[in-house]
Amino acid sequence: MHNDFRAIVIKVAVFVSGRGSNLQAVLNSQKLKKLIVVDPVISDKKDCKAFQIASENSIEFFSLGDAEGFISYSSLADFLKSRDVDLIVLAGFLKLIPNPVIREFKNRIINIHPALLPAFGGKGMYGMNVHKAVLNSSAKVSGATVHFVDDTYDTGKIIAQRKVDISDLDSAEAIAERVLKIEHELLPDVIEKFASNKIIFNNNKVEVLN
Ligand code: GRF
């Protein structure tokens, strides 16, 4: 049967800084199994819990830095190219991506942010800082955003968002927990769309096809 959106297996590098629950959600996703391979996992940290997840799944993992055995930020673009990476997924990665990588992987780097951008984004808006700011604002909804990455924090074009009612919650921790559940659904969904060529630009606007 002819299918205009025939998918091929793409190689996804996942960047992490900590726990790795979004990495785990991607690895658990049944629908992604035929569409992607995660390879490699990269962190700005020497060690993090996400490395354990990579190791359990026999995925190579690397740290960024200048010390011996690390991948330097200046060689990162070449490193990713040499490994034929198709898509970079920032899943709880806290550093800015170097410019050569942004240029080389234009429209092939996505980030998951635990709020509804463009609100509650930007430098310093990560982890619990986001959820505390959401709580302090008295917002009744929060959610997750997946967006393309450019050279500043959280400003790239938005691909998809999912919202969640938080009007009954009164702690940043409770908001974080509810939003994280949404993240674990949204990120695999967007990666599936990317791998199936269903994320397109139309008049400078990102559209996701059904
Ligand atoms: C997630 O909330 C992600 O949106 C944010 O950092 C957190 C990372 O969680 N940028 P994990 O490492 O995927 O568990």
Side-chain angles (χ1 to χ4, degrees):
M1 193 180 78
H2 181 68
N3 181 352
D4 283 332
F5 298 113
R6 188 165 49 89
I8 51 162
V9 173
I10 65 161
K11 211 173 193 197
V12 179
V14 179
F15 283 50
V16 292
S17 294
R19 178 177 56 185
S21 70
N22 278 291
L23 168 65
Q24 186 71 69
V26 169
L27 293 170
N28 288 349
S29 168
Q30 285 306 318
K31 65 183 172 202
L32 288 182
K33 291 214 189 300
K34 279 185 280 179
L35 293 176
I36 69 161
V37 282
V38 174
D39 175 34
V41 168
I42 293 182
S43 180
D44 57 316
K45 301 284 189 307
K46 276 193 197 130
D47 199 10
C48 59
K49 199 159 166 267
F51 276 174
Q52 208 177 304
I53 296 170
S55 167
E56 285 161 9
N57 287 275
S58 307
I59 299 165
E60 274 196 277
F61 51 93
F62 301 89
S63 292
L64 292 167
D66 291 325
E68 172 105 31
F70 287 30
I71 299 161
S72 67
Y73 283 88
S74 56
S75 69
L76 182 58
D78 286 341
F79 175 78
L80 294 165
K81 269 198 294 176
S82 74
R83 295 184 70 105
D84 296 321
V85 166
D86 297 298
L87 172 69
I88 297 170
V89 173
L90 310 185
F93 184 71
L94 297 177
K95 287 267 164 61
L96 273 182
I97 294 295
N99 268 315
V101 179
I102 304 274
R103 277 198 302 273
E104 191 64 47
F105 290 85
K106 192 166 163 30
N107 298 331
R108 292 193 291 145
I109 312 175
I110 63 173
N111 178 50
I112 178 122
H113 183 78
L116 297 173
L117 292 174
F120 307 110
K123 197 167 168 24
M125 276 295 186
Y126 60 86
M128 289 309 289
N129 294 352
V130 177
H131 305 296
K132 281 179 193 156
V134 169
L135 180 72
N136 286 336
S137 76
S138 268
K140 312 299 182 235
V141 290
S142 191
T145 302
V146 177
H147 62 94
F148 283 117
V149 171
D150 59 18
D151 51 6
T152 51
Y153 284 109
D154 303 326
T155 55
K157 284 194 188 294
I158 292 170
I159 302 167
Q161 296 182 297
R162 207 157 286 169
K163 59 179 194 257
V164 69
D165 184 350
I166 54 161
S167 57
D168 60 323
L169 302 180
D170 55 11
S171 77
E173 289 73 20
I175 296 173
E177 194 184 323
R178 199 169 281 175
V179 169
L180 193 64
K181 283 203 189 100
I182 300 292
E183 291 182 54
H184 293 167
E185 296 165 8
L186 185 64
L187 186 58
D189 285 356
V190 172
I191 295 172
E192 182 200 17
K193 294 292 185 185
F194 183 96
S196 313
N197 289 319
K198 289 184 178 176
I199 300 176
I200 59 158
F201 280 82
N202 191 1
N203 286 331
N204 214 24
K205 205 175 159 224
V206 177
E207 284 180 15
V208 181
L209 306 177
N210 284 323

